[in-house]
Amino acid sequence: MTVKKAVLPVAGLGTRFLPASKSIPKEMVTVVDRPVIDYVVQEAIAAGIEQIILVTHSSKRAIEDYFDSYYELEDTLQKKNKLELLETIQTIIPKGVDVVAVRQPQPLGLGHAVLCAKSVIGNEPFAVLLPDVLVKNTSQQNDLQQMIAHYSETHHSQIMVEQVPEQLVSQYGIVDIQGQQLEAGQSLQLKGIVEKPKVDEAPSSLAVVGRYVLPARVLSLLEQTKPGAGGEIQLTDAIAALMHEEFVDAYRMSGKTYDCGSKLGYLEAILSYGIDHPQLGKDFINLIQNSLK
Ligand code: G1P
Protein backbone atom coordinates (compact mmCIF):
# COMPACT_ATOMS: atom_id res chain seq x y z
CA MET A 1 0.00 0.00 0.00
CA THR A 2 1.50 3.33 -0.96
CA VAL A 3 1.51 6.41 1.22
CA LYS A 4 -1.05 9.07 0.28
CA LYS A 5 -1.75 10.83 3.59
CA ALA A 6 0.44 13.18 5.59
CA VAL A 7 -0.07 14.57 9.08
CA LEU A 8 1.30 18.06 9.81
CA PRO A 9 1.09 18.95 13.50
CA VAL A 10 0.65 22.74 13.65
CA ALA A 11 -1.06 23.24 17.01
CA GLY A 12 2.10 24.27 18.91
CA LEU A 13 2.20 27.78 20.30
CA GLY A 14 5.67 28.57 18.95
CA THR A 15 7.24 30.04 22.06
CA ARG A 16 10.66 29.93 20.38
CA PHE A 17 9.37 32.50 17.90
CA LEU A 18 7.92 35.10 20.28
CA PRO A 19 6.99 37.90 20.06
CA ALA A 20 5.93 37.33 16.39
CA SER A 21 4.09 34.10 17.21
CA LYS A 22 1.87 35.92 19.71
CA SER A 23 -0.53 36.73 16.88
CA ILE A 24 0.92 35.06 13.75
CA PRO A 25 1.17 31.28 13.66
CA LYS A 26 4.89 30.52 13.42
CA GLU A 27 4.11 28.37 10.36
CA MET A 28 2.82 31.51 8.59
CA VAL A 29 5.99 33.60 8.76
CA THR A 30 7.25 34.06 5.23
CA VAL A 31 10.40 32.81 3.59
CA VAL A 32 10.68 35.10 0.52
CA ASP A 33 7.03 35.17 -0.61
CA ARG A 34 5.49 32.03 0.85
CA PRO A 35 4.75 30.99 4.41
CA VAL A 36 6.93 28.26 5.89
CA ILE A 37 4.00 25.82 5.92
CA ASP A 38 3.61 26.18 2.13
CA TYR A 39 7.12 24.78 1.54
CA VAL A 40 6.37 21.78 3.76
CA VAL A 41 3.05 21.10 2.01
CA GLN A 42 4.75 21.37 -1.43
CA GLU A 43 7.42 18.92 -0.26
CA ALA A 44 4.67 16.44 0.72
CA ILE A 45 2.83 16.90 -2.58
CA ALA A 46 6.06 16.44 -4.56
CA ALA A 47 6.52 13.12 -2.72
CA GLY A 48 3.08 11.92 -3.92
CA ILE A 49 0.91 12.85 -0.92
CA GLU A 50 -2.75 13.47 -1.81
CA GLN A 51 -4.25 14.36 1.54
CA ILE A 52 -2.73 16.85 3.98
CA ILE A 53 -4.08 16.53 7.52
CA LEU A 54 -3.39 19.62 9.63
CA VAL A 55 -3.59 19.03 13.38
CA THR A 56 -4.27 22.53 14.53
CA HIS A 57 -5.52 24.91 17.22
CA SER A 58 -8.15 27.66 17.34
CA SER A 59 -5.44 30.37 17.41
CA LYS A 60 -4.06 29.19 14.08
CA ARG A 61 -6.96 29.65 11.67
CA ALA A 62 -4.72 31.63 9.31
CA ILE A 63 -3.14 28.33 8.25
CA GLU A 64 -6.46 26.82 7.15
CA ASP A 65 -7.40 30.08 5.44
CA TYR A 66 -4.16 30.05 3.47
CA PHE A 67 -5.05 26.70 1.91
CA ASP A 68 -8.71 27.59 1.33
CA SER A 69 -10.01 29.47 -1.70
CA TYR A 70 -10.67 33.22 -1.30
CA TYR A 71 -13.51 34.10 -3.62
CA GLU A 72 -13.46 37.91 -3.24
CA LEU A 73 -9.71 38.10 -3.92
CA GLU A 74 -9.94 35.73 -6.89
CA ASP A 75 -12.83 37.71 -8.37
CA THR A 76 -10.93 41.00 -7.99
CA LEU A 77 -7.78 39.60 -9.61
CA GLN A 78 -9.87 38.23 -12.47
CA LYS A 79 -11.61 41.57 -13.07
CA LYS A 80 -8.28 43.43 -12.96
CA ASN A 81 -6.82 40.90 -15.38
CA LYS A 82 -4.06 39.95 -12.94
CA LEU A 83 -4.11 36.41 -14.22
CA GLU A 84 -0.63 35.38 -13.19
CA LEU A 85 -1.32 36.29 -9.57
CA LEU A 86 -4.69 34.59 -9.82
CA GLU A 87 -3.03 31.41 -10.96
CA THR A 88 -0.43 31.65 -8.19
CA ILE A 89 -3.06 31.66 -5.49
CA GLN A 90 -5.30 29.12 -7.18
CA THR A 91 -2.55 26.54 -7.52
CA ILE A 92 -1.22 26.63 -3.96
CA ILE A 93 -2.99 23.29 -3.63
CA PRO A 94 -3.07 21.47 -6.97
CA LYS A 95 -6.07 19.47 -8.21
CA GLY A 96 -6.20 15.98 -6.76
CA VAL A 97 -4.85 17.09 -3.37
CA ASP A 98 -7.02 18.05 -0.42
CA VAL A 99 -6.31 19.67 2.91
CA VAL A 100 -8.32 18.79 6.00
CA ALA A 101 -7.97 20.06 9.54
CA VAL A 102 -8.56 18.44 12.90
CA ARG A 103 -8.05 20.08 16.27
CA GLN A 104 -5.71 19.13 19.06
CA PRO A 105 -7.76 20.15 22.10
CA GLN A 106 -4.87 20.06 24.60
CA PRO A 107 -1.10 20.47 24.14
CA LEU A 108 -0.16 16.94 25.25
CA GLY A 109 2.78 16.41 22.91
CA LEU A 110 3.68 15.37 19.36
CA GLY A 111 2.46 11.78 19.83
CA HIS A 112 -0.90 13.08 21.01
CA ALA A 113 -1.11 15.47 18.05
CA VAL A 114 -0.59 12.61 15.60
CA LEU A 115 -3.20 10.55 17.44
CA CYS A 116 -5.73 13.37 16.94
CA ALA A 117 -5.62 12.55 13.18
CA LYS A 118 -6.52 8.88 13.75
CA SER A 119 -10.04 8.97 12.32
CA VAL A 120 -8.83 10.68 9.13
CA ILE A 121 -5.83 8.36 8.71
CA GLY A 122 -7.93 5.22 9.10
CA ASN A 123 -6.05 2.05 8.34
CA GLU A 124 -3.46 3.43 5.93
CA PRO A 125 0.25 4.09 6.29
CA PHE A 126 0.99 7.79 6.55
CA ALA A 127 3.75 10.36 6.62
CA VAL A 128 4.39 12.89 9.38
CA LEU A 129 6.08 16.20 8.55
CA LEU A 130 7.03 18.59 11.35
CA PRO A 131 6.49 22.02 9.83
CA ASP A 132 9.26 23.83 11.74
CA VAL A 133 11.80 22.06 9.60
CA LEU A 134 12.27 22.94 5.94
CA VAL A 135 13.98 20.26 3.89
CA LYS A 136 15.76 21.44 0.79
CA ASN A 137 16.77 18.84 -1.75
CA THR A 138 19.15 19.43 -4.58
CA SER A 139 18.41 16.22 -6.44
CA GLN A 140 15.20 15.68 -8.43
CA GLN A 141 13.79 13.19 -5.96
CA ASN A 142 13.06 14.55 -2.53
CA ASP A 143 13.97 12.70 0.67
CA LEU A 144 10.36 12.08 1.65
CA GLN A 145 9.68 10.55 -1.75
CA GLN A 146 12.68 8.32 -1.22
CA MET A 147 11.39 7.26 2.21
CA ILE A 148 7.97 6.44 0.74
CA ALA A 149 9.65 4.36 -1.96
CA HIS A 150 11.63 2.45 0.70
CA TYR A 151 8.43 1.90 2.68
CA SER A 152 6.47 0.67 -0.34
CA GLU A 153 9.24 -1.78 -1.15
CA THR A 154 9.98 -3.15 2.33
CA HIS A 155 7.03 -2.17 4.58
CA HIS A 156 9.58 -0.98 7.12
CA SER A 157 8.72 2.32 8.79
CA GLN A 158 11.12 5.09 7.82
CA ILE A 159 12.48 7.71 10.21
CA MET A 160 14.54 10.48 8.67
CA VAL A 161 17.80 11.29 10.48
CA GLU A 162 20.79 13.55 10.11
CA GLN A 163 24.03 14.01 12.03
CA VAL A 164 23.89 16.80 14.63
CA PRO A 165 26.69 18.23 16.79
CA GLU A 166 27.06 16.13 19.95
CA GLN A 167 26.11 18.97 22.28
CA LEU A 168 22.68 19.19 20.59
CA VAL A 169 21.57 15.55 21.00
CA SER A 170 19.48 16.41 24.09
CA GLN A 171 17.15 18.48 21.86
CA TYR A 172 16.19 15.61 19.54
CA GLY A 173 15.00 12.06 19.20
CA ILE A 174 18.22 10.04 18.74
CA VAL A 175 18.54 6.69 16.98
CA ASP A 176 20.71 3.68 17.69
CA ILE A 177 22.12 1.88 14.64
CA GLN A 178 24.90 0.19 16.64
CA GLY A 179 27.69 2.17 15.06
CA GLN A 180 26.92 1.00 11.52
CA GLN A 181 27.68 3.19 8.52
CA LEU A 182 24.58 4.84 7.04
CA GLU A 183 24.99 6.68 3.73
CA ALA A 184 22.80 9.56 2.59
CA GLY A 185 19.71 8.30 0.75
CA GLN A 186 19.89 4.89 2.41
CA SER A 187 17.94 3.10 5.12
CA LEU A 188 19.11 0.78 7.86
CA GLN A 189 17.25 -1.14 10.54
CA LEU A 190 16.96 0.71 13.84
CA LYS A 191 18.08 -0.94 17.06
CA GLY A 192 16.72 1.76 19.31
CA ILE A 193 15.31 5.27 19.50
CA VAL A 194 15.21 7.59 22.49
CA GLU A 195 13.69 11.03 22.99
CA LYS A 196 16.01 13.84 24.09
CA PRO A 197 18.73 11.77 25.83
CA LYS A 198 21.49 13.31 27.94
CA VAL A 199 24.67 13.84 25.92
CA ASP A 200 26.55 11.06 27.75
CA GLU A 201 23.66 8.59 27.37
CA ALA A 202 22.91 9.16 23.67
CA PRO A 203 23.34 6.06 21.48
CA SER A 204 24.65 8.19 18.56
CA SER A 205 24.46 11.73 17.24
CA LEU A 206 22.00 10.81 14.46
CA ALA A 207 18.94 12.91 15.18
CA VAL A 208 15.34 12.51 14.06
CA VAL A 209 14.64 15.58 11.96
CA GLY A 210 10.91 15.63 11.53
CA ARG A 211 9.95 13.34 8.64
CA TYR A 212 8.43 9.92 9.29
CA VAL A 213 6.63 7.22 7.30
CA LEU A 214 4.61 5.04 9.65
CA PRO A 215 1.98 2.31 9.60
CA ALA A 216 -1.52 2.83 11.08
CA ARG A 217 -0.51 0.37 13.84
CA VAL A 218 1.51 3.13 15.50
CA LEU A 219 -1.79 4.90 16.31
CA SER A 220 -2.96 2.03 18.54
CA LEU A 221 0.45 2.10 20.21
CA LEU A 222 0.12 5.85 20.76
CA GLU A 223 -3.17 5.23 22.56
CA GLN A 224 -1.24 3.18 25.11
CA THR A 225 1.78 5.52 25.30
CA LYS A 226 2.29 7.16 28.69
CA PRO A 227 3.73 10.67 28.98
CA GLY A 228 7.52 10.56 28.50
CA ALA A 229 10.21 13.24 28.10
CA GLY A 230 8.94 16.66 29.20
CA GLY A 231 5.71 15.05 30.50
CA GLU A 232 4.43 14.79 26.90
CA ILE A 233 3.09 11.86 24.89
CA GLN A 234 6.03 11.26 22.58
CA LEU A 235 5.86 9.87 19.05
CA THR A 236 9.38 8.54 19.67
CA ASP A 237 8.10 6.27 22.48
CA ALA A 238 5.37 4.78 20.26
CA ILE A 239 8.00 4.16 17.54
CA ALA A 240 10.18 2.41 20.15
CA ALA A 241 7.18 0.18 20.96
CA LEU A 242 6.56 -0.46 17.25
CA MET A 243 10.15 -1.70 16.91
CA HIS A 244 9.27 -4.67 19.15
CA GLU A 245 6.67 -5.78 16.62
CA GLU A 246 8.12 -4.94 13.20
CA PHE A 247 11.02 -3.37 11.33
CA VAL A 248 11.67 0.32 11.66
CA ASP A 249 14.44 1.91 9.57
CA ALA A 250 16.49 5.04 9.98
CA TYR A 251 16.71 6.89 6.64
CA ARG A 252 19.66 9.23 6.29
CA MET A 253 18.65 12.34 4.42
CA SER A 254 20.58 13.73 1.49
CA GLY A 255 19.09 17.24 1.54
CA LYS A 256 19.65 20.09 3.96
CA THR A 257 17.42 21.15 6.86
CA TYR A 258 16.49 24.63 8.06
CA ASP A 259 14.96 24.87 11.51
CA CYS A 260 12.47 27.69 11.02
CA GLY A 261 11.27 27.29 14.60
CA SER A 262 14.47 29.04 15.68
CA LYS A 263 15.32 32.61 14.78
CA LEU A 264 18.76 31.93 13.34
CA GLY A 265 17.56 28.87 11.41
CA TYR A 266 14.81 31.03 9.95
CA LEU A 267 17.29 33.71 8.83
CA GLU A 268 19.43 30.99 7.25
CA ALA A 269 16.35 29.72 5.35
CA ILE A 270 15.62 33.22 4.04
CA LEU A 271 19.20 33.52 2.80
CA SER A 272 19.17 30.14 1.11
CA TYR A 273 15.71 30.34 -0.48
CA GLY A 274 16.26 33.99 -1.40
CA ILE A 275 19.54 33.23 -3.19
CA ASP A 276 17.93 30.33 -5.08
CA HIS A 277 14.75 32.21 -5.98
CA PRO A 278 14.27 32.08 -9.78
CA GLN A 279 13.18 35.73 -10.13
CA LEU A 280 14.80 37.45 -7.15
CA GLY A 281 17.97 35.42 -6.62
CA LYS A 282 20.44 37.52 -8.62
CA ASP A 283 19.28 40.84 -7.18
CA PHE A 284 19.23 39.36 -3.71
CA ILE A 285 22.86 38.24 -4.00
CA ASN A 286 23.83 41.77 -5.12
CA LEU A 287 21.92 43.19 -2.22
CA ILE A 288 23.78 40.98 0.28
CA GLN A 289 27.15 41.76 -1.29
CA ASN A 290 26.44 45.51 -1.17
CA SER A 291 25.22 45.45 2.39
CA LEU A 292 28.42 43.69 3.51
CA LYS A 293 30.68 46.34 1.97
C1 G1P B 1 10.26 16.63 18.03
C2 G1P B 1 10.46 15.14 18.23
C3 G1P B 1 11.95 14.80 18.24
C4 G1P B 1 12.59 15.31 16.95
C5 G1P B 1 12.32 16.82 16.78
C6 G1P B 1 12.80 17.29 15.42
O1 G1P B 1 10.74 17.31 19.17
O2 G1P B 1 9.85 14.74 19.44
O3 G1P B 1 12.13 13.42 18.34
O4 G1P B 1 13.98 15.06 16.97
O5 G1P B 1 10.92 17.10 16.86
O6 G1P B 1 12.63 18.65 15.25
P1 G1P B 1 10.38 18.87 19.48
O7 G1P B 1 11.29 19.67 18.61
O8 G1P B 1 8.93 19.03 19.13
O9 G1P B 1 10.67 19.04 20.93
Side-chain angles (χ1 to χ4, degrees), residues 110 130 133 172-173 195-196 208-210 212 234 236:
L110 174 59
L130 304 189
V133 181
Y172 292 94
E195 182 68 15
K196 303 193 174 73
V208 176
V209 279
Y212 310 75
Q234 298 289 353
T236 299

Coordinates of all heavy atoms in Angstrom, one line a residue, residues 110 130 133 172-173 195-196 208-210 212 234 236, ligand 1:
L110 N 3.7 15.7 20.8 CA 3.7 15.4 19.4 C 2.9 14.1 19.1 O 2.1 13.9 18.2 CB 5.1 15.2 18.8 CG 5.3 14.8 17.4 CD1 4.6 15.7 16.4 CD2 6.8 14.6 17.1
L130 N 7.1 17.5 10.3 CA 7.0 18.6 11.3 C 7.3 19.9 10.6 O 8.4 20.1 10.0 CB 8.1 18.3 12.4 CG 7.9 17.0 13.1 CD1 8.9 16.9 14.4 CD2 6.5 16.7 13.6
V133 N 10.6 22.4 10.3 CA 11.8 22.1 9.6 C 11.5 22.1 8.1 O 10.7 21.4 7.6 CB 12.3 20.6 10.0 CG1 13.6 20.3 9.2 CG2 12.5 20.5 11.5
Y172 N 16.8 16.4 20.6 CA 16.2 15.6 19.5 C 15.9 14.2 20.0 O 16.3 13.7 21.0 CB 17.2 15.5 18.4 CG 17.5 16.8 17.6 CD1 18.6 17.6 18.0 CD2 16.7 17.2 16.6 CE1 18.9 18.7 17.3 CE2 17.0 18.3 15.9 CZ 18.0 19.1 16.3 OH 18.3 20.3 15.6
G173 N 15.1 13.5 19.1 CA 15.0 12.1 19.2 C 16.3 11.5 18.6 O 16.7 12.0 17.5
E195 N 14.0 9.6 23.1 CA 13.7 11.0 23.0 C 14.6 11.9 23.9 O 14.6 11.6 25.1 CB 12.2 11.2 23.3 CG 11.7 12.7 23.2 CD 11.7 13.2 21.8 OE1 11.7 12.4 20.8 OE2 11.5 14.4 21.6
K196 N 15.2 12.9 23.4 CA 16.0 13.8 24.1 C 16.9 13.2 25.2 O 16.7 13.6 26.4 CB 15.1 14.9 24.7 CG 14.3 15.6 23.6 CD 13.6 16.9 24.0 CE 12.9 17.6 22.8 NZ 11.7 17.0 22.3
V208 N 16.6 12.5 14.8 CA 15.3 12.5 14.1 C 15.0 14.0 13.7 O 14.9 14.8 14.5 CB 14.2 11.9 15.0 CG1 12.9 11.9 14.3 CG2 14.6 10.5 15.4
V209 N 14.8 14.2 12.4 CA 14.6 15.6 12.0 C 13.2 15.9 11.4 O 13.1 16.9 10.7 CB 15.7 16.0 10.9 CG1 17.0 16.3 11.6 CG2 15.9 15.0 9.9
G210 N 12.3 15.2 11.8 CA 10.9 15.6 11.5 C 10.2 15.1 10.3 O 9.3 15.7 9.8
Y212 N 8.7 11.3 8.9 CA 8.4 9.9 9.3 C 7.5 9.3 8.3 O 6.6 10.0 7.8 CB 7.7 9.8 10.6 CG 8.3 10.6 11.8 CD1 8.1 12.0 11.9 CD2 8.9 10.0 12.8 CE1 8.6 12.8 12.9 CE2 9.4 10.7 13.9 CZ 9.3 12.1 14.0 OH 9.7 12.8 15.0
Q234 N 5.0 11.1 23.6 CA 6.0 11.3 22.6 C 5.8 10.3 21.5 O 5.7 9.1 21.7 CB 7.4 11.0 23.2 CG 7.8 12.1 24.3 CD 8.1 13.4 23.7 OE1 8.1 13.6 22.4 NE2 8.3 14.4 24.5
T236 N 8.2 9.4 19.6 CA 9.4 8.5 19.7 C 9.1 7.3 20.5 O 9.6 6.2 20.2 CB 10.5 9.4 20.3 OG1 10.8 10.5 19.5 CG2 11.8 8.6 20.5
Ligands
G1P1 C1 10.3 16.6 18.0 C2 10.5 15.1 18.2 C3 11.9 14.8 18.2 C4 12.6 15.3 17.0 C5 12.3 16.8 16.8 C6 12.8 17.3 15.4 O1 10.7 17.3 19.2 O2 9.9 14.7 19.4 O3 12.1 13.4 18.3 O4 14.0 15.1 17.0 O5 10.9 17.1 16.9 O6 12.6 18.6 15.3 P1 10.4 18.9 19.5 O7 11.3 19.7 18.6 O8 8.9 19.0 19.1 O9 10.7 19.0 20.9

